[in-house]
Amino acid sequence: MSNAAETAEKIATLQRWIEECRPHRMVFFGGAGVSTESGIPDFRSPDGLYAQKYKLPPEQIISGGFFHRDPQTFFEYYCDKMIALEAKPNRAHLRLAQLEAEGTLSAVVTQNIDGLHQAAGSKNVLELHGSVHRNFCMKCGEFFDVHQMLAARGEDGVPRCSCGGIIKPDVVLYDETLDENVLMGSVTAITNADLMVIAGTSLAVYPAAGLINYFRGNHLVIVNLSPTPADHQADLCISAKVGTALA
């Protein structure tokens, strides 16, 4: 059997499992690879952010400690590389929103911060790493959407509130902890699922990647263009783009 035929057969199996899944018993866990078809680069692929050359490695720049030490360099990188307001939901986002509307999908657990799942129509989205669309003043707590945050940037590129406080994106930076409520909601959704589809993630970032260990359902599916450390745990591994496998 050719690789294309084998992949097509695996995708057909995934579609059958989705159709057979009990109402509200499917959960989707996605990473940066879900949004690459929308033109947003991932992190660890050959063309990803980590493969690009900067004076400092991205994981250092987008860390909590670096944000507090050098907000000017942080926002220069963050606004240039982490915000993609022109991006639109792709066929993976749209299919997941459809599955939720049909009563099959209970939750989307995402490592992405781009808000494309909500833009596609998904309602129950658990954002493990926050969202670029939410920003708060560190001094007074005032809320700013992403457009307001960008407009509040001064000559040094750092956005500031009218009170003088720096506006911080509501994203989980390296060396920061995940939101406990989002984490527990993700654990609950995964624990109760019959079918879990993991897609577009290398499963290399913890504690998010450890959520797979809470799954006790019937079918675990991994959709990723490259192997992951959890492939041996999966009932089905599909090497394909997320949109291809879902749509």
Side-chain angles (χ1 to χ4, degrees):
M1 183 182 296
S2 68
N3 288 338
E6 183 179 1
T7 298
E9 185 175 292
K10 289 181 176 181
I11 291 174
T13 299
L14 170 59
Q15 296 301 331
R16 186 176 75 252
W17 287 350
I18 291 174
E19 293 170 1
E20 295 172 351
C21 187
R22 290 188 294 169
H24 308 293
R25 291 302 181 94
M26 174 185 171
V27 66
F28 179 86
F29 178 94
V34 178
S35 293
T36 53
E37 291 181 69
S38 295
I40 299 177
D42 62 7
F43 290 87
R44 292 175 173 80
S45 71
D47 297 321
L49 293 178
Y50 286 2
Q52 300 177 25
K53 303 301 180 183
Y54 299 96
K55 294 180 180 179
L56 296 171
E59 59 266 39
Q60 180 178 340
I61 299 175
I62 54 176
S63 68
F66 191 89
F67 168 83
H68 292 286
R69 290 193 305 273
D70 189 354
Q72 182 174 355
T73 301
F74 170 86
F75 277 105
E76 180 182 354
Y77 181 88
Y78 175 80
C79 293
D80 183 40
K81 297 297 182 183
M82 308 299 290
I83 299 176
L85 300 183
E86 74 286 349
K88 304 297 181 184
N90 60 52
R91 53 186 178 167
H93 299 109
L94 296 171
R95 177 61 174 149
L96 290 167
Q98 180 185 14
L99 288 170
E100 182 186 47
E102 293 173 350
T104 300
L105 185 70
S106 65
V108 169
V109 180
T110 181
Q111 295 173 286
N112 296 338
I113 60 175
D114 51 45
L116 291 181
H117 285 293
Q118 292 93 328
S122 290
K123 305 299 182 185
N124 190 22
V125 182
L126 297 157
E127 297 173 308
L128 293 170
H129 296 155
S131 172
V132 300
H133 296 280
R134 298 188 300 270
N135 305 268
F136 296 91
C137 173
M138 298 177 63
K139 186 176 181 180
C140 72
E142 183 176 348
F143 172 84
F144 294 79
D145 66 26
V146 65
H147 300 285
Q148 293 169 323
M149 183 276 288
L150 292 172
R153 297 179 73 191
E155 291 184 3
D156 60 356
V158 179
R160 288 182 171 84
C161 177
S162 58
C163 76
I166 293 178
I167 300 169
K168 184 180 184 296
D170 186 20
V171 298
V172 179
L173 305 175
Y174 283 99
D175 70 29
E176 294 184 336
T177 58
L178 301 185
D179 182 277
E180 184 175 346
N181 291 330
V182 175
L183 188 60
M184 292 309 299
S186 302
V187 169
T188 299
I190 292 170
T191 302
N192 293 330
D194 290 339
L195 169 63
M196 181 175 182
V197 178
I198 300 172
T201 174
S202 62
L203 291 174
V205 177
Y206 283 81
L211 289 172
I212 186 177
N213 297 321
Y214 290 95
F215 180 67
R216 298 291 184 270
N218 299 324
H219 300 300
L220 175 62
V221 181
I222 296 179
V223 181
N224 205 53
L225 290 173
S226 57
T228 79
D231 284 1
H232 67 284
Q233 297 175 245
D235 300 295
L236 185 65
C237 292
I238 303 174
S239 179
K241 292 183 177 180
V242 184
T244 300
L246 289 178

